[in-house]
Amino acid sequence: MATYVLVAGNWLGAWAWTDVTNRLRAAGHDVHPVTLTGLGDRVHLASREVDLDTHIADIVHTIEYADLRDVILVGHSYGGFPVTGAADRIPDRLARVVYVESGPLPDASQLDMLGPEGRDATLQRMKEQENGWLEPAPTAADLASDDPTYAGLDEAARALFTARAVPQPLDTNAQPLRLSGDPRRDALPHTLVTCMFPLEQVRAMVAQGHPFFSGFAGKEWTYAELPTGHWPMLSEPARLAEVLADLG
């Protein structure tokens, strides 16, 4: 049986993995869903000082204090950034790194993925908000829209998202990821679980050197395709659990 550490993306906590966690544990696996500082049941710890380094430390400490080894470390969306940082710091404790709707983007931040104009627009919008350091979660109207990002979320999943998602501390998305370049991280097996992009398109973009896939070079990769929206742990938890179980 395998050991999993699960890290969700923006606005979410360990609660988002409940169905996946229960299914993996029922199959005999050891599963540790992580709530990052300032999110989920740790929302009371949100502050301007919470940044990407804080979330990397959350993951490292989860693994080290539980003395976990041969870990399959899973990062969803934004969670891929602190997962990459954690893998850079403790590669000897990991068996595999898995990116769900995410990927390794060294020397970049989540906001950088929006491009210069998108990044500047987000920062300007944040300055105009009352607090200036919390990025709001999608609204109920957003979740019910035709945006393909939210595909597959049924009424219960949308209600859960609306009830439990919380604003994201800005510097977790604005701070660039800085890596040591430890070759042991690149030597780990890596898996991409793609949902919104067909696998054929992903392979083509990797081959073409698309910037979104610049961190894929120099690593051993396997791929899994799970057609749904951007939050498969909520829209397709049974199928996502199967994909992850197959890696164990």
Side-chain angles (χ1 to χ4, degrees):
M1 294 295 101
T3 299
Y4 295 85
V5 171
L6 309 176
V7 184
N10 280 338
W11 312 300
L12 310 181
W15 61 266
W17 296 102
T18 298
D19 283 352
V20 173
T21 296
N22 289 342
R23 291 171 185 277
L24 289 174
R25 285 176 176 166
H29 300 293
D30 184 21
V31 189
H32 300 258
V34 178
T35 293
L36 301 172
T37 299
L39 303 173
D41 56 290
R42 305 181 71 200
V43 65
H44 58 289
L45 299 177
S47 74
R48 291 180 180 272
E49 286 67 45
V50 174
D51 58 15
L52 178 58
D53 283 339
T54 309
H55 286 175
I56 292 171
D58 288 334
I59 299 168
V60 170
H61 292 162
T62 294
I63 293 172
E64 290 186 334
Y65 278 83
D67 196 23
L68 304 179
R69 298 185 183 276
D70 296 322
V71 170
I72 297 175
L73 180 56
V74 181
H76 160 256
S77 190
Y78 156 78
F81 282 87
V83 157
T84 300
D88 187 61
R89 287 157 176 74
I90 52 169
D92 54 310
R93 288 185 176 263
L94 307 183
R96 179 179 296 272
V97 183
V98 181
Y99 294 94
V100 179
E101 283 287 279
S102 185
L105 289 169
D107 299 324
S109 72
Q110 176 82 350
L111 289 186
D112 290 331
M113 295 180 65
L114 302 175
E117 292 185 2
R119 176 188 172 88
D120 291 345
T122 298
L123 293 175
Q124 180 60 39
R125 186 170 64 252
M126 293 297 300
K127 289 179 182 178
E128 296 168 355
Q129 293 185 13
E130 182 177 350
N131 54 62
W133 60 272
L134 285 172
E135 296 186 71
T139 65
D142 293 329
L143 297 174
S145 71
D146 293 331
D147 188 326
T149 301
Y150 310 117
L153 295 177
D154 61 18
E155 184 176 351
R158 295 196 301 270
L160 181 66
F161 197 118
T162 301
R164 296 191 181 179
V166 299
Q168 181 89 8
L170 174 62
D171 280 350
T172 62
N173 284 324
Q175 181 187 17
L177 178 64
R178 301 300 184 203
L179 301 174
S180 70
D182 190 330
R184 293 177 299 168
R185 177 181 66 88
D186 287 348
L188 290 167
H190 286 65
T191 297
L192 172 67
V193 181
T194 180
C195 300
M196 295 187 65
F197 290 98
L199 184 53
E200 182 179 351
Q201 183 179 359
V202 168
R203 292 185 184 277
M205 294 170 78
V206 171
Q208 295 165 6
H210 190 284
F212 280 8
F213 297 93
S214 62
F216 281 58
K219 304 175 182 67
E220 175 193 335
W221 282 95
T222 58
Y223 299 90
E225 187 174 16
L226 177 53
T228 187
H230 188 61
W231 285 279
M233 70 281 284
L234 297 176
S235 61
E236 292 286 356
R239 294 171 64 195
L240 179 58
E242 290 175 1
V243 168
L244 296 178
D246 286 344
L247 301 175

